[in-house]
Amino acid sequence: EAQVTQNPRYLITVTGKKLTVTCSQNMNHEYMSWYRQDPGLGLRQIYYSMNVEVTDKGDVPEGYKVSRKEKRNFPLILESPSPNQTSLYFCASSLSIYDRGGNQPQHFGDGTRLSIL
Amino acid sequence: AQSVAQPEDQVNVAEGNPLTVKCTYSVSGNPYLFWYVQYPNRGLQFLLKYITGDNLVKGSYGFEAEFNKSQTSFHLKKPSALVSDSALYFCAVRWRSQGNLIFGKGTKLSVKP
C-alpha cells in the first residue's frame, strides 16, 4: 500500500530535549516536505526537499533541521525544542515538481502531535 | 507576497443542498491550484487540481471546482452535500516551478441531516 509513515504519532517532551520525527514514503517520490498545522493558521511549510541531498527552507524553518540522505526518508529534527513548537506536524511526498511542472498532488502522513512542556 | 485566502472559517449546509467553499489567491504568474480534505485525526487527502484548460475541474467524492482567472478564485463545489462530507477543507497553490506549496487556513464544512 502506498503510504507516508510518520513516527511517533504522539510525543510529549520537555524544553531543550532533542527529538527527531521520522518520515518514510514507499512511492519512490522525489519531493518531500514538512508542515506544521496550528489552529487559525492552517498548514505552514517548514522545509522541503526536491531530491536526495537537496533541501530548502519553507515559510517557518526556524528551530528545525532536516536531512535527505535517502530518497525514502526525510526526518525532522528539533535540536532544542521550545513550547512554541507544540503543534501538529505533517510529512508529505509527491513526484518531482519538475515532472510536468509541479502539478503533482502530495500524499500526506497521518500526522505527529508534539507537545513541548 | 504570494498568498491564499479562504474567507470563511466555517460553512454550514443542510444535507442535500449544494455547497461552496471559497478560495482566492494573490495575483502573480500562473498557479497550480489544489483542494485537500482533512478528516479528524488524519492527514490531508487530495481532492482535485487545476492545471490548465477547462475551468471546471472534477475530483473525488463528487466534488468539483471552478477556476476563475479574472477573480483569481478556485471555489470548491458539490451539487448535493452529504453528512459524511463534514471535514476541514484546504485550498493550496503552487506557483509554477517553485518548490513551496502555500495553503489557505482551512474551512470547516459542517453538513447537518
Side-chain angles (χ1 to χ4, degrees), chain B:
Chain B
Q2 296 163 339
S3 63
V4 179
Q6 293 182 242
E8 301 152 319
D9 291 336
Q10 180 155 345
V11 170
N12 298 312
V13 177
E15 188 175 30
N17 283 1
L19 69 88
T20 298
V21 183
K22 296 179 181 177
C23 173
T24 60
Y25 60 94
S26 60
V27 179
S28 181
N30 297 308
Y32 295 120
L33 300 155
F34 303 85
W35 275 102
Y36 288 85
V37 60
Q38 184 181 28
Y39 297 101
N41 299 315
R42 300 300 305 275
L44 279 69
Q45 296 176 32
F46 169 72
L47 275 180
L48 50 79
K49 66 181 178 183
Y50 173 81
I51 305 168
T52 186
D54 194 351
N55 290 343
L56 186 64
V57 178
K58 293 190 183 298
S60 306
Y61 312 121
F63 283 93
E64 56 191 27
E66 186 169 12
F67 172 67
N68 187 317
K69 188 171 184 176
S70 63
Q71 296 184 1
T72 63
S73 67
F74 189 55
H75 299 334
L76 182 70
K77 299 174 187 272
K78 188 173 183 181
S80 179
L82 300 172
V83 173
S84 57
D85 292 330
S86 299
L88 190 55
Y89 290 81
F90 289 96
C91 179
V93 181
R94 169 179 282 136
W95 276 266
R96 299 189 182 192
S97 300
Q98 292 192 6
N100 56 334
L101 183 64
I102 299 175
F103 282 83
K105 294 182 179 181
T107 298
K108 182 179 179 181
L109 174 66
S110 178
V111 182
K112 300 293 187 189

